[in-house]
Amino acid sequence: MSLATVILAAGLGTRMKSDKAKVLHPVAGRPMIEYPVGMARALGSSRVICVLGHQADAVRSAVESRFGAGSIEVAIQAVQRGTGHAVLQAEAQLAGHDGLVLILYGDTPLLSQSVLERLVAGASSTTLTMMTAILPDPRGYGRILRDDSGKFTRIVEEKDATTDQRRINEINAGIYCGPARFFLDTLRSVGSNNAQGEIYLTDVMERAAAGGNGLTVNTILASADEVMGCNDRVDVAKADRIIRLRLADELMRAGVAVRDPERLYVEPGVEIGRDTALGPGVELRGKVKIGAGCVIEQGAVITDCTLGDRVHVKPYCVMSESTIANGVQIGPWCHIRPGSVIEDDVHLGNFVETKKTRMGRGAKANHLTYLGDADVGAKVNVGCGTITCNYDGYVKSRTIIEDGAFIGSDTQLVAPVTVGAGAVTAAGTTVYKDVPAGALALTRPEMAIVPGWAERKRQRMTGGGGNGVAKKPAKPQKSQKKKSPKGRTARRRG
Ligand code: UD1
Ligand code: CA
């Protein structure tokens, strides 16, 4: 039977104490709503209908930015009158659907695919399935009532339950599957005669179990972890941790070394090759692909990047929207900004920043350097303190450094400018004209040498101690200094 999924996500989630709709809060880096939508798609659901209310546009665009435009249909529930009422809002979308409907919540991100597969596989035109779990602390959930033979009879909400019923610790997860038509037909007639004055989706299960309609209800038991709904930020943090630990387990089973799984922050969908090692506090966001045999050390934050094999990222690097080839060494404390293309065997040392820059094969920039809008050739050596002056306050310009060039320490490259292949820039040079291949570029003001100046100053300041160790001047000597014409001259020249 064909499957449609309805995801209930209209609530604001008051307990989040947030201006943002609950299902937009991230769990393991992804907005909560992505989890049920992703599940529905993984289960082969032909249609995914989200019932939205609060911030419907923001929720829709979050989903579409992940799964593509038109990936979901939206039904609006303007006023939240209960879970059953929410499903009824999808009536128009479900009108022509003669198959099964799977009902998921937008705030239950921990469900595994396998338990949902069992739920869907168990449902048919004559069988409804619902997910339950045994919780040590069932507070807040609807409880599962069974008859003496253990057959499911109905769900009682906490607010409607007696003290005895509240002791039951089998709870309703709120996830169901069954013939769409039966859900809609029943919901149209159940009413809202209950403690909350809502239309309860749970009443559908009670009607089905009541008999006389040729239907059976089967329960599918899930683990306590999986059914957890995220109602406040404490729940979000718990869910976040569970998903991260699951992802760490998956990575380790696939041959990735994880130093401290509790402190690995990865999002679903990252791809990492075997024998790659991830240090504590590593954060991998968005679309990250890392090859084999890499070492990613403590505190590296990598967003939307592709790394080749044997890349060594030293502690505390921040890297985004860039491509890193094989055998590259980066860090510590590098900032690889969007549009960087780092080719094989490049070395980038501490405090190097790149942006929209290609570093050719084997190039090096080992210390304190900014390379923005640059094209750096193979085997180029970029000395300490080099800066591409790529922005004049109006436009960005490019710097080209051709293969094998040697950029001396403290070179400023005033873009647009080209340094030819094999050329050398002397330390401290401001390169504001193109440098031909093989040439030397040098800008360096005349240096003055004043013999004995330092020693004379020391004498003045210390009263003639002359032991080479500068002392804090005593007051009378200070006034003496003012009178000395020789001292003034020397100071000016030095
Ligand atoms: C519901 C179940 C309860 C179950 C619990 C599991 C009913 C009557 N009760 O509780 O048995 O143990 O889920 O979490 O179904 N929503 C809407 N529109 C509404 C109401 C809710 O879209 O009018 C959405 C919420 O945004 C949320 C989900 O439905 O994603 C669940 O709503 P929530 O209020 O948390 O569930 P309860 O009714 O408390
Ligand atoms: Ca809930």
Side-chain angles (χ1 to χ4, degrees):
M1 284 177 93
S2 75
L3 179 69
T5 301
V6 174
I7 298 172
L8 307 189
L12 173 65
T14 319
R15 280 168 286 170
M16 293 295 287
K17 307 236 165 78
S18 171
D19 295 336
K20 190 161 71 175
K22 173 159 80 171
V23 295
L24 290 176
H25 283 259
V27 172
R30 314 300 320 171
M32 231 183 272
I33 187 73
E34 281 190 18
Y35 292 91
V37 174
M39 272 300 163
R41 292 163 67 92
L43 291 165
S45 182
S46 58
R47 302 169 62 185
V48 182
I49 302 147
C50 289
V51 180
L52 304 178
H54 289 279
Q55 299 171 18
D57 291 341
V59 177
R60 180 204 282 263
S61 64
V63 171
E64 292 193 334
S65 78
R66 179 69 165 184
F67 298 105
S71 49
I72 53 165
E73 297 165 65
V74 171
I76 297 292
Q77 186 192 30
V79 185
Q80 279 76 58
R81 297 213 183 97
T83 47
H85 180 258
V87 173
L88 272 178
Q89 307 314 300
E91 202 173 359
Q93 283 84 352
L94 289 173
H97 178 70
D98 204 20
L100 296 173
V101 64
L102 166 66
I103 293 163
L104 299 176
Y105 287 173
D107 66 353
T108 308
L110 295 173
L111 289 167
S112 68
Q113 190 170 333
S114 62
V115 82
L116 284 172
E117 274 166 358
R118 279 198 286 141
L119 187 89
V120 173
S124 70
S125 57
T126 55
T127 313
L128 286 80
T129 47
M130 58 178 286
M131 199 177 291
T132 72
I134 311 282
L135 300 189
D137 177 11
R139 253 178 307 171
Y141 288 91
R143 309 297 205 282
I144 303 294
L145 303 189
R146 295 178 182 275
D147 66 15
D148 293 340
S149 68
K151 193 168 141 292
F152 165 79
T153 55
R154 66 186 180 98
I155 298 153
V156 60
E157 292 306 298
E158 168 128 339
K159 286 183 180 130
D160 302 299
T162 64
T163 316
D164 272 354
Q165 288 168 334
R166 287 185 188 177
R167 288 201 189 98
I168 297 170
N169 60 3
E170 187 183 12
I171 61 96
N172 169 32
I175 312 292
Y176 321 89
C177 191
R181 188 143 298 164
F182 181 76
F183 274 88
L184 293 176
D185 290 348
T186 309
L187 285 171
R188 275 188 224 108
S189 67
V190 291
S192 55
N193 183 21
N194 52 55
Q196 303 181 84
E198 292 183 346
I199 299 178
Y200 282 177
L201 182 52
T202 47
D203 287 353
V204 174
M205 295 294 138
E206 181 175 347
R207 288 275 184 96
N213 45 25
L215 294 172
T216 6
V217 176
N218 287 336
T219 58
I220 305 283
L221 189 69
S223 71
D225 266 3
E226 287 186 277
V227 302
M228 191 187 119
C230 293
N231 292 312
D232 60 20
R233 291 172 192 268
V234 176
D235 293 340
V236 169
K238 280 183 192 156
D240 189 288
R241 178 174 167 276
I242 292 169
I243 291 186
R244 287 190 292 105
L245 286 173
R246 279 188 198 165
L247 292 168
D249 280 2
E250 272 173 38
L251 289 171
M252 290 186 281
R253 296 216 166 85
V256 175
V258 177
R259 176 87 184 277
D260 183 353
E262 292 270 357
R263 293 174 64 206
L264 178 65
Y265 306 91
V266 293
E267 291 182 15
V270 299
E271 289 173 57
I272 306 178
R274 58 196 284 165
D275 286 322
T276 284
L278 304 175
V282 165
E283 190 159 348
L284 307 176
R285 303 172 175 162
K287 220 174 145 43
V288 172
K289 205 175 159 187
I290 299 177
C294 296
V295 178
I296 314 294
E297 291 197 66
Q298 174 140 350
V301 179
I302 304 178
T303 310
D304 297 322
C305 283
T306 301
L307 280 65
D309 299 332
R310 301 179 318 283
V311 174
H312 186 174
V313 178
K314 295 173 193 172
Y316 305 111
C317 290
V318 176
M319 302 162 61
S320 3
E321 295 170 47
S322 293
T323 308
I324 319 297
N326 303 313
V328 171
Q329 290 187 29
I330 297 180
W333 293 287
C334 270
H335 193 181
I336 308 299
R337 292 171 51 205
S340 300
V341 176
I342 313 297
E343 297 182 354
D344 286 351
D345 304 317
V346 164
H347 289 192
L348 299 175
N350 43 203
F351 306 108
V352 172
E353 174 181 347
T354 62
K355 186 218 72 175
K356 278 194 191 154
T357 284
R358 177 185 79 99
M359 288 296 285
R361 183 181 283 259
K364 289 181 182 167
N366 277 329
H367 332 264
L368 299 159
T369 288
Y370 173 55
L371 296 167
D373 303 300
D375 188 278
V376 179
K379 295 263 179 197
V380 166
N381 187 91
V382 178
C384 174
T386 296
I387 295 171
T388 51
C389 310
N390 60 326
Y391 185 51
D392 61 4
Y394 300 95
V395 291
K396 303 267 166 71
S397 303
R398 291 194 69 79
T399 298
I400 297 168
I401 304 173
E402 292 176 356
D403 293 355
F406 182 96
I407 306 300
S409 293
D410 192 29
T411 295
Q412 298 111 59
L413 298 145
V414 184
V417 78
T418 298
V419 177
V424 170
T425 71
T429 293
T430 302
V431 179
Y432 54 90
K433 290 188 274 196
D434 289 351
V435 182
L440 167 72
L442 178 145
T443 59
R444 197 172 281 175
E446 194 76 356
M447 188 170 83
I449 301 281
V450 184
W453 182 91
E455 186 53 31
R456 285 198 296 281
K457 171 146 184 170
R458 190 172 299 120
Q459 300 243 335
R460 269 195 337 269
M461 302 303 270
T462 64
N467 61 358
V469 179
K471 284 184 195 149
K472 214 178 163 194
K475 271 185 183 147
Q477 285 148 359
K478 227 181 191 170
S479 57
Q480 220 178 341
K481 177 188 79 183
K482 272 184 192 153
K483 279 177 213 151
S484 159
K486 223 178 184 183
R488 266 205 300 276
T489 317
R491 263 206 318 282
R492 210 183 298 132
R493 290 175 64 190

